[in-house]
Amino acid sequence: MYSYRRHLVKVMKYCVKIGILQIDDGSEDSFMKSDEGEVLYQNTGASRYFMKNFSRDISDYQSQEDFLKEEWIGMNEDRGIIRRQRVYRSLLMSPGIYLNDDTEEDFAYVRHYRGMIEEELNRFFDCELQVHKTSAFLIMGEDSNLGRSFPEENTLSDIVLLWCNLFRQKIADGSVEVPAGEDIVISRQQFLMISEECKRQYGSGWIKTYREMTMGEFCKKLKEYMIFMEMIMEKYDQIIVYPIVGKVAGCYPKDFKGGETNE
């Protein structure tokens, strides 16, 4: 079937693009047009370094968490190599590790072995491990390039920095209280008010896309991005603000001629 061949060609092209295969003869397009088309591929050998054999049938798996659990079947997940790998994954692939009932063992590991972890990771890239009362963050050096990180080089990332600075001001003047656990809970309305204030105060310095957004569109875009970057979480009619918001902030120079912007 043409549709099957088309999907297969997309997969094969992707394999060529990332270096798993290389074409020796022929073209994928000829195969997509006809089932008599031929393409000769050569295995580059890269596939040997990341494929794995699963110990059970994965056809019933429903999420990525199922694959992670499968990796440690029959082993104590809070001890040894399992915990160590889980901690390193969390530091490298998420904004930070926060202390809660589910991460108590992992956070204790970070706190106890912080020097060893930082020394080990510094062998591969410039970074600093910062551990606080209820959170731990891996801060990348300016010359480090490790996938996607925050802040990014785009306007939306800059806006989030401005939002974080406004939020810290709310904490400083007592408008927002920080609980012992450091996860701050605010109402959805409070989040919208801070976001609207951010746009009115700094919007004239943004690119046209964000300047001309309605308040509703802007607040929705900002919230979705901060959720994606694991800086906040929406729960019912509340917004949970994670401690990372207190780690990053941005402001315009003192001579910035901002002023109020209208919707």
Side-chain angles (χ1 to χ4, degrees):
M1 292 180 64
Y2 170 76
S3 60
Y4 292 173
R5 294 199 305 274
R6 182 166 56 87
H7 292 315
L8 176 60
V9 166
K10 285 185 177 180
V11 173
M12 301 303 282
K13 282 186 173 181
Y14 181 74
C15 290
V16 171
K17 179 181 177 182
I18 62 176
I20 296 176
L21 298 173
Q22 64 183 31
I23 298 177
D24 276 357
D25 189 27
S27 167
E28 297 106 330
D29 294 332
S30 64
F31 174 72
M32 186 163 60
K33 294 174 182 176
S34 169
D35 58 2
E36 295 181 357
E38 292 286 346
V39 188
L40 179 62
Y41 294 99
Q42 180 177 338
N43 185 357
T44 64
S47 60
R48 292 196 301 266
Y49 295 95
F50 66 88
M51 292 299 294
K52 63 170 291 182
N53 294 319
F54 293 98
S55 60
R56 57 178 58 192
D57 184 1
I58 65 173
S59 58
D60 293 330
Y61 287 6
Q62 302 295 321
S63 66
Q64 60 185 13
E65 286 75 18
D66 293 333
F67 286 90
L68 293 175
K69 291 177 181 177
E70 186 272 346
E71 191 171 4
W72 311 118
I73 287 176
M75 302 176 69
N76 187 336
E77 295 186 17
D78 288 329
R79 291 291 181 269
I81 188 65
I82 304 178
R83 180 171 61 177
R84 182 184 180 196
Q85 289 195 9
R86 188 172 62 237
V87 166
Y88 277 56
R89 281 177 179 171
S90 296
L91 288 172
L92 291 168
M93 302 179 70
S94 62
I97 297 179
Y98 304 118
L99 177 61
N100 54 49
D101 293 340
D102 296 327
T103 63
E104 189 173 351
E105 291 284 344
D106 292 356
F107 195 78
Y109 183 90
V110 173
R111 179 173 286 169
H112 189 70
Y113 296 105
R114 59 187 299 179
M116 180 198 72
I117 295 172
E118 185 174 47
E119 181 181 351
E120 204 164 46
L121 292 176
N122 263 318
R123 286 188 287 172
F124 302 100
F125 46 82
D126 179 27
C127 65
E128 179 185 353
L129 179 60
Q130 297 183 2
V131 182
H132 304 281
K133 181 181 177 181
T134 62
S135 56
F137 305 95
L138 190 66
I139 309 300
M140 308 302 298
E142 291 186 6
D143 297 328
S144 294
N145 184 13
L146 187 68
R148 190 171 188 177
S149 59
F150 184 87
E152 301 179 286
E153 295 182 1
N154 57 47
T155 303
L156 190 52
S157 179
D158 293 342
I159 292 172
V160 171
L161 290 173
L162 294 168
W163 190 96
C164 291
N165 191 47
L166 274 178
F167 191 73
R168 290 170 62 170
Q169 291 176 20
K170 303 295 182 186
I171 294 174
D173 65 22
S175 301
V176 174
E177 295 184 2
V178 182
E182 296 186 343
D183 285 348
I184 302 173
V185 180
I186 60 175
S187 67
R188 186 185 287 112
Q189 187 61 32
Q190 282 179 289
F191 177 84
L192 295 177
M193 289 174 61
I194 297 173
S195 302
E196 291 171 357
E197 182 181 347
C198 183
K199 187 174 190 296
R200 285 194 299 268
Q201 189 169 336
Y202 301 113
S204 61
W206 303 342
I207 61 174
K208 183 178 180 181
T209 302
Y210 295 100
R211 285 200 315 268
E212 297 186 351
M213 276 186 180
T214 65
M215 281 297 186
E217 292 172 334
F218 169 72
C219 292
K220 183 176 183 292
K221 186 79 172 178
L222 181 64
K223 181 178 69 174
E224 289 175 348
Y225 180 73
M226 294 183 73
I227 290 174
F228 177 78
M229 297 303 290
E230 298 181 31
M231 304 179 80
I232 63 173
M233 180 177 74
E234 189 172 20
K235 190 173 184 180
Y236 306 116
D237 61 343
Q238 295 179 322
I239 300 291
I240 300 173
V241 183
Y242 292 129
I244 189 175
V245 169
K247 291 285 292 183
V248 293
C251 60
Y252 284 136
K254 293 182 179 180
D255 58 354
F256 171 67
K257 305 298 183 181
E260 297 288 310
T261 60
N262 297 319
E263 184 174 323

